[in-house]
């Protein structure tokens, strides 16, 4: 088995464990960070750039009113953060990732047309360094959701996008039913599902008004 497919299995196992038992993340964090630091230099060439963000972008099209403050969690090399910034020219966008080398690569990829509105930071999604209600939009592309922290940093009425480039075949994947159940429990509503074959995305809205 190649190192990459071993890594994908680890990513799926970690996702399954952490979605059920977020407190066990501390046991898996170092290995996850090590894996993505190692992958960072080749990340952009490993993924299919044509379709990678298609489900995320399909969900972005339905976000109304436009967000002023957005967070892309597990941003990797930053592609989804740039997609938010281009879609919403008034938005300030943060891309956050656990892996320092991913963030270095994301800063390197920062394009001139959005420079000044997008910043990249090292942060752990299980314990974010942001105040309650800091964002009107939180997006995750192929990233493990930490529901408590997402709920905390989203403003009332804020939007959440959870997208998977390869649908159920994505190594980091959470079934839509599970996402809906976890989010409904926290008062999220207005769910919309998107399919871009093979990509899938879920859009949800936190209770309250922006
Ligand atoms: C599969 S990659 C996806 C990267 C990017 N969103 C994309 O779609 O290309 C998952 C990313 O999430 C990051 N990550 C995993 N767990 C994290 C956590 N708890 N907090 C922040 N980032 C995390 C990894 O370092 C990695 O860059």
């Amino acid at each position: 088995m190649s190192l990459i497919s071993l890594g994908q299995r680890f990513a799926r196992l970690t996702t399954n464990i952490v979605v059920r038992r977020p407190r066990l993340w501390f046991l898996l964090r170092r290995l996850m960070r090590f894996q993505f630091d190692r992958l960072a230099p080749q990340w952009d060439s490993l993924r299919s750039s044509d379709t990678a963000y298609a489900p995320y972008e399909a969900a972005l099209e339905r976000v109304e009113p436009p967000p002023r403050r957005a967070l892309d969690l597990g941003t990797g090399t930053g592609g989804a953060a740039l997609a938010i910034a281009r879609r919403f020219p008034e938005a300030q966008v943060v891309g956050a990732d656990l892996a320092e080398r991913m963030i270095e690569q994301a800063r390197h990829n920062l394009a001139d047309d959005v420079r000044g509105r997008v910043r990249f930071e090292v942060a752990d999604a299980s314990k974010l360094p942001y105040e309650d209600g800091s964002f009107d939009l939180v997006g995750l592309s192929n990233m493990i959701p930490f529901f408590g922290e997402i709920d905390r940093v989203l403003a009332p009425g804020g939007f959440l996008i959870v997208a998977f480039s390869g649908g159920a075949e994505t190594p980091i994947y959470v079934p839509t039913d599970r996402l809906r159940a976890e989010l409904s429990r926290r008062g999220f509503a207005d769910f919309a599902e998107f399919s871009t074959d093979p990509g899938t995305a879920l859009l949800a809205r936190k209770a309250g008004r922006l």
Side-chain angles (χ1 to χ4, degrees):
M1 189 185 300
S2 74
L3 261 184
I4 289 186
S5 65
L6 200 63
Q8 290 177 336
R9 283 185 180 210
F10 170 69
R12 175 62 73 101
L13 183 69
T14 301
T15 306
N16 290 341
I17 293 172
V18 171
V19 165
R20 283 165 185 76
R21 301 262 184 281
R23 287 194 185 152
L24 295 182
W25 170 241
F26 81 99
L27 293 171
L28 300 155
R29 183 178 185 276
R30 277 179 74 150
L31 197 48
M32 194 73 156
R33 188 175 52 196
F34 172 80
Q35 176 178 332
F36 282 107
D37 269 330
R38 192 177 54 78
L39 285 173
Q42 0 156 22
W43 188 252
D44 286 332
S45 59
L46 278 177
R47 55 209 319 277
S48 146
S49 54
D50 286 352
T51 54
Y53 302 116
Y56 196 99
E57 293 189 353
L60 280 180
E61 279 181 30
R62 289 275 294 275
V63 172
E64 175 64 40
R68 289 170 294 114
R69 308 158 303 165
L71 172 66
D72 180 52
L73 271 177
T75 198
T77 52
L82 301 187
I84 297 176
R86 290 189 175 122
R87 172 96 209 152
F88 301 110
E90 306 297 320
Q92 296 289 323
V93 183
V94 180
D97 201 283
L98 183 68
E100 235 171 275
R101 293 183 71 192
M102 283 290 193
I103 290 298
E104 281 167 18
Q105 194 60 44
R107 287 179 181 147
H108 176 78
N109 291 348
L110 190 47
D112 283 343
D113 60 325
V114 295
R115 203 178 291 279
R117 289 194 297 118
V118 179
R119 67 177 202 273
F120 292 106
E121 298 177 347
V122 175
D124 185 341
S126 74
K127 197 170 185 228
L128 289 167
Y130 309 118
E131 303 280 317
D132 297 1
S134 295
F135 300 99
D136 315 314
L137 167 68
V138 173
L140 286 77
S141 167
N142 309 313
M143 164 64 187
I144 304 171
F146 288 84
F147 297 102
E149 278 296 83
I150 290 170
D151 189 13
R152 185 183 68 74
V153 301
L154 255 183
F159 293 90
L160 170 66
I161 293 172
V162 186
F164 302 103
S165 303
E169 300 304 311
T170 316
I172 292 181
Y173 176 72
V174 183
T176 309
D177 290 354
R178 179 95 205 183
L179 291 173
R180 279 177 171 261
E182 293 285 352
L183 292 167
S184 301
R185 207 154 64 75
R186 290 173 169 84
F188 282 71
D190 297 344
F191 294 101
E193 293 180 25
F194 303 85
S195 173
T196 55
D197 195 15
T200 55
L202 181 71
L203 175 68
R205 197 155 187 194
K206 181 169 166 168
R209 294 184 67 155
L210 270 178

